[in-house]
Amino acid sequence: DQQVKQNSPSLSVQEGRISILNCDYTNSMFDYFLWYKKYPAEGPTFLISISSIKDKNEDGRFTVFLNKSAKHLSLHIVPSQPGDSAVYFCAAAGGGTGGGNKLTFGTGTQLKVEL
Amino acid sequence: DAMVIQNPRYQVTQFGKPVTLSCSQTLNHNVMYWYQQKSSQAPKLLFHYYDKDFNNEADTPDNFQSRRPNTSFCFLDIRSPGLGDAAMYLCATSRGGNIQYFGAGTRLSVL
């Protein structure tokens, strides 16, 4: 039972254009959402997050939008750069036990930004 | 630079031969996590330590154990690796909040 879904395994975008990565979730207990970026041979790196009390969070070229009623979030990258080529993981937190919040990850979307 | 370090980066073991993966951190975070990630799948939490308190996920096989001798170090022990345990193992830390900081991972091969 996959509670966090990234239905697009890959996305190809031209440099300078907008990249939109999507994520859906099913668990209503999730109250915090994160995006991680992963380059080959490296661990996931935290990129941006959003609390469920907000619907938008922006950090430079990166913006995350949250639609709670649709249980959907998206990451927008504008403008896209070749260095943005990586795997992007969506993760959700909430309802954890035992101290230390548990993250539930999606399967990732491979973004390729082409020149 | 404060960081999460995993050793070794690549580990090859034989079917049934115990193996230990290591994680250390200089962030002084009180929570440490172990994830298993198989190809094209989502990272899956195996267990985590909140300080010295061990929290096992319900579906983590008994074959997987962990030790945290101090704040800085955490080990993942696989008692009898099977072919299905070949995966990337990721260690992460946090201050107890939602944001976790990951090491580069150890890729385990089982022959």
Side-chain angles (χ1 to χ4, degrees):
Chain A
D1 177 27
Q2 204 172 336
Q3 299 185 66
V4 177
K5 299 179 184 178
Q6 293 178 256
N7 291 320
S8 298
S10 64
L11 174 67
S12 186
V13 171
Q14 277 195 320
E15 182 181 12
R17 300 287 185 111
I18 184 171
S19 295
I20 300 176
L21 296 95
N22 293 302
C23 179
D24 298 291
Y25 63 96
T26 57
N27 190 338
S28 302
M29 295 296 292
F30 291 145
D31 58 8
Y32 197 87
F33 303 89
L34 307 89
W35 285 95
Y36 280 82
K37 176 179 180 180
K38 185 182 183 304
Y39 292 118
E42 295 183 13
T45 302
F46 170 71
L47 186 59
I48 191 170
S49 62
I50 188 167
S51 165
S52 61
I53 63 173
K54 296 185 176 180
D55 55 18
K56 177 183 175 182
N57 188 29
E58 192 172 352
D59 183 1
R61 296 187 297 113
F62 302 91
T63 303
V64 56
F65 296 92
L66 175 63
N67 182 335
K68 283 186 294 184
S69 61
K71 293 190 175 68
H72 176 84
L73 63 153
S74 60
L75 174 67
H76 293 212
I77 306 173
V78 182
S80 301
Q81 299 174 355
D84 296 329
S85 298
V87 178
Y88 289 79
F89 288 97
C90 172
T97 60
N101 291 341
K102 172 182 174 178
L103 293 183
T104 302
F105 282 85
T107 53
T109 296
Q110 172 75 60
L111 173 66
K112 184 177 180 182
V113 180
E114 299 173 321
L115 298 172
Chain B
D1 284 345
M3 54 199 314
V4 181
I5 302 166
Q6 290 189 244
N7 284 307
R9 294 292 309 275
Y10 301 91
Q11 176 73 57
V12 180
T13 190
Q14 290 182 334
F15 183 93
K17 184 174 181 181
V19 65
T20 294
L21 308 182
S22 170
C23 178
S24 65
Q25 55 130 340
T26 60
L27 297 162
N28 203 31
H29 286 171
N30 55 333
V31 191
M32 294 187 77
Y33 307 80
W34 279 104
Y35 290 84
Q36 180 193 62
Q37 185 184 18
K38 296 185 178 179
S39 181
S40 301
Q41 295 185 21
K44 179 179 177 295
L45 182 64
L46 295 173
F47 27 58
H48 73 275
Y49 273 95
Y50 191 105
D51 294 321
K52 293 182 179 180
D53 294 332
F54 178 69
N55 298 275
N56 199 27
E57 292 300 300
D59 55 356
T60 298
D62 292 340
N63 198 25
F64 291 85
Q65 305 283 317
S66 186
R67 295 170 285 134
R68 189 179 186 186
N70 54 53
T71 300
S72 301
F73 285 87
C74 194
F75 300 99
L76 170 62
D77 300 310
I78 308 176
R79 293 191 298 187
S80 182
L83 297 178
D85 296 328
M88 174 71 79
Y89 290 88
L90 294 164
C91 174
T93 72
S94 79
R95 283 188 285 258
N98 290 308
I99 299 174
Q100 296 180 16
Y101 299 85
F102 285 82
T106 295
R107 182 165 295 283
L108 178 69
S109 298
V110 181
L111 303 179

